[in-house]
Amino acid sequence: MVWCKGIVLVFGILAFFCGSILAVLGPGDKYNGYQVWRVVPTNVDQIRSLIKLEHNFDGFDLVDFWREATPSSLHRPVDIMVPPSLRNNLRDILTSLSLDIEINIPDVGALVTGQMSEIQTRRANEPVGTAALSDFDYTRYHTYDEIQQWVSDIVTEYSDITSHFLLTTSYEGRPINGFRIRGRNSVASDPPPPAVWFEGGIHAREWISPATVMWFTAQLLQDYEDGDELAMSMFDNMDWYIVPSLNPDGYTYTWTNDRLWRKTRSDNLDSTGSGCRGADPNRNFPFGWAGNGTSPFPCSNIYHGKSALSEPEVDGVVEYLRNLKANNQNFLIFLDWHSYGQYFLSPWSYSAYAPNPPDYDAMMAMGKAASDAIAAVHGTVFQSGSSIELLNEAAGSSKDWGYVPYDETSKFRGGLGAKYSYTVELRDKGTYGFLLPEDQIQPVGEEMYAGVRAIGDYILRELGFIP
Ligand code: 0X9
Ligand code: ZN
């Protein structure tokens, strides 16, 4: 800094140059030379070693396991983002475990920078158009402010069947807006209609999540106005609560500083003085908090936070939904939209040894109905299973909380009691991972729109509204 100032005094022109260097540091620069590797364990020793390896790196913010190894991940790919400084070391370790390395992404920084400049060029040539809802371009990724504007425009456009709610305010003070859809033929009653909760964007870098939630919601609202029978039945017989983007600080940070940021942005003020910010909101729910598949280290991507519900974004969900529960609204479906992997993941995730919950078969059946509908659109294959069968242990996750029975005595006890509770992992299977290009928003939107309609059809049959 002092160095820069000295030069500025003598050569005014260089002041501009110093400033520009700071200004052009983009959200991908940190990842120049990083690679994403894929290995596929074929025996339990390899799995054990991979789990240990991940554990050893936990909390150092160096090696990011995009897809983890789990006790059940025989023949299932493990994706690891490797910084250039550790490439040789890690290659040696993996080779010594007889694991073949496939390179999924040869240069993460270059991929991010390329995608961001495409996004910016497209924006420069055709403005995103947020002046009116009819201009909203669903085939693009949108900034947090644009998404909030969309919420506001939707509520204005469909004022007789939607109502806005402010879920809460994020750590950095951004409003988290959502809306409820209740059809105009709904018989508002006590108790209120059975309900569905959809939340997008809890993980900041999973950009396809808010984009998809907006896509199918807009389509279904249009279907409703067009008199589509299924959409009418969905909204007339049930309440649908939609929050497209739940982690505004993290999401904003992915646009400006670090495209692969996952957590919230709260200050951990930790005793180690790491300065690392944020907790994993999907480890911050009270059920099973700080258990397996979470980390006590503030620099970890699965840091569980200082305490259960320490993150205002998570606390906001729990407070808001408990309030509805206290007013007798029954939630049947809780759905947290993520990427990537193409899964419908149901409880449990808090422990690999937990027996399947009583509604496991029902959740598999709904997952299958949705997956069949999805596959029929572009052939994309989704798998259903419990989180621990298919992915990872993750105590304090939203989906376990969504399922656990409600307990009116304390927000730190119980959950929402939704019979169908899932984490949905959208496209892809690892080719781009968290960096799904903009040109896939449309096909993902189309297939998930079909998936949500199938979910609607399934639940309306169960409720007896469709014979
Ligand atoms: O680790 C997670 O939180 C989720 N995977 S992601 O790549 N989107 O971060 C899935 C966790 C499994 N599901 C739950 N435990 N809820
Ligand atoms: Zn996620």
Side-chain angles (χ1 to χ4, degrees):
M1 222 36 216
V2 172
W3 180 83
C4 260
K5 271 185 193 154
I7 298 205
V8 168
L9 284 175
V10 189
F11 305 106
I13 187 98
L14 281 181
F16 175 67
F17 184 62
C18 287
S20 313
I21 288 183
L22 292 175
V24 294
L25 266 187
D29 293 347
K30 173 177 170 188
Y31 300 104
N32 286 333
Y34 280 54
Q35 296 190 328
V36 180
W37 293 355
R38 165 160 292 185
V39 293
V40 184
T42 50
N43 63 58
V44 282
D45 284 342
Q46 290 172 331
I47 290 181
R48 244 182 252 132
S49 303
L50 285 167
I51 292 176
K52 209 184 270 169
L53 191 67
E54 179 178 9
H55 205 78
N56 290 341
F57 278 114
D58 184 38
F60 291 102
D61 192 20
L62 279 170
V63 176
D64 184 355
F65 279 68
W66 280 18
R67 228 27 7 183
E68 308 178 282
T70 67
S72 60
S73 57
L74 265 189
H75 306 288
R76 211 173 297 135
V78 174
D79 297 341
I80 314 170
M81 182 167 72
V82 180
S85 58
L86 287 172
R87 217 182 268 175
N88 290 339
N89 261 328
L90 269 172
R91 189 183 298 110
D92 291 348
I93 294 171
L94 296 173
T95 310
S96 75
L97 295 171
S98 309
L99 286 162
D100 292 330
I101 300 169
E102 191 188 320
I103 298 180
N104 271 11
I105 302 180
D107 188 334
V108 175
L111 178 59
V112 172
T113 305
Q115 288 186 346
M116 290 311 289
S117 79
E118 260 175 52
I119 287 174
Q120 299 305 356
T121 311
R122 214 178 143 195
R123 283 174 167 251
N125 294 339
E126 313 155 54
V128 279
T130 49
L133 188 61
S134 53
D135 289 344
F136 193 87
D137 187 347
Y138 291 92
T139 68
R140 315 238 194 141
Y141 288 124
H142 289 274
T143 64
Y144 188 70
D145 289 347
E146 288 163 5
I147 295 172
Q148 300 315 288
Q149 185 61 48
W150 176 82
V151 171
S152 158
D153 292 346
I154 284 279
V155 174
T156 306
E157 175 77 18
Y158 299 97
S159 57
D160 58 337
I161 56 167
T162 60
S163 51
H164 162 262
F165 59 89
L166 174 66
L167 182 74
T168 187
T169 303
S170 72
Y171 180 83
E172 290 176 347
R174 295 180 178 86
I176 304 177
N177 294 297
F179 54 93
R180 186 193 70 193
I181 309 173
R182 177 183 282 177
R184 60 178 77 87
N185 307 309
S186 162
V187 193
S189 53
D190 190 19
V196 178
W197 177 259
F198 280 179
E199 61 181 41
I202 192 172
H203 282 146
R205 62 191 174 186
E206 298 162 14
W207 284 11
I208 191 62
S209 162
T212 303
V213 170
M214 290 191 289
W215 182 290
F216 63 66
T217 303
Q219 291 273 315
L220 288 165
L221 285 167
Q222 190 54 51
D223 289 350
Y224 185 90
E225 294 303 337
D226 294 345
D228 174 84
E229 216 174 304
L230 177 60
M232 298 221 9
S233 187
M234 284 166 72
F235 296 156
D236 285 340
N237 294 307
M238 298 183 82
D239 281 356
W240 297 68
Y241 292 86
I242 316 273
V243 177
S245 189
L246 186 60
N247 179 2
D249 304 342
Y251 187 74
T252 302
Y253 197 69
T254 61
W255 276 79
T256 55
N257 292 63
D258 179 346
R259 174 64 182 82
L260 290 167
W261 190 259
R262 158 183 169 100
K263 300 185 288 178
T264 60
R265 291 291 300 160
S266 53
D267 191 339
N268 291 313
L269 297 170
D270 62 296
S271 50
T272 62
S274 69
C276 288
R277 279 183 172 264
D280 182 349
N282 204 26
R283 303 290 184 279
N284 194 239
F285 283 79
F287 181 76
W289 181 78
N292 296 347
T294 75
S295 168
F297 304 123
C299 296
S300 167
N301 254 342
I302 51 170
Y303 175 47
H304 50 50
K306 285 190 278 289
S307 55
L309 303 180
S310 58
E311 306 314 289
E313 300 80 1
V314 177
D315 189 57
V317 172
V318 168
E319 286 278 358
Y320 185 76
L321 289 174
R322 284 179 59 82
N323 194 32
L324 292 170
K325 283 295 284 188
N327 286 298
N328 297 322
Q329 186 144 42
N330 181 34
F331 279 81
L332 273 175
I333 301 176
F334 176 99
L335 227 155
D336 195 7
W337 296 87
H338 291 246
S339 68
Y340 62 99
Q342 297 169 200
Y343 298 113
F344 280 88
L345 302 170
S346 56
W348 299 110
S349 63
Y350 71 94
S351 162
Y353 305 103
N356 284 333
D359 297 304
Y360 176 85
D361 290 344
M363 282 186 272
M364 289 307 98
M366 182 188 274
K368 184 178 180 329
S371 303
D372 289 349
I374 291 165
V377 181
H378 296 294
T380 308
V381 175
F382 272 68
Q383 243 180 306
S384 303
S386 81
S387 189
I388 47 182
E389 278 166 345
L390 294 181
L391 222 51
N392 49 349
E393 281 183 317
S397 75
S398 64
K399 134 173 55 64
D400 282 4
W401 183 84
Y403 183 73
V404 165
Y406 173 63
D407 180 338
E408 63 180 4
T409 61
S410 160
K411 67 177 173 181
F412 295 102
R413 283 202 277 274
L416 186 65
K419 177 178 176 186
Y420 297 91
S421 182
Y422 302 91
T423 300
V424 183
E425 300 280 357
L426 297 168
R427 284 197 200 179
D428 58 8
K429 296 290 281 179
T431 307
Y432 292 100
F434 301 116
L435 300 172
L436 200 71
E438 230 176 21
D439 63 13
Q440 292 204 34
I441 298 174
Q442 176 157 356
V444 173
E446 288 165 351
E447 67 202 15
M448 297 321 292
Y449 161 72
V452 172
R453 285 178 66 91
I455 288 172
D457 178 81
Y458 179 101
I459 199 73
L460 290 164
R461 278 176 206 282
E462 180 168 303
L463 290 168
F465 291 114
I466 296 180

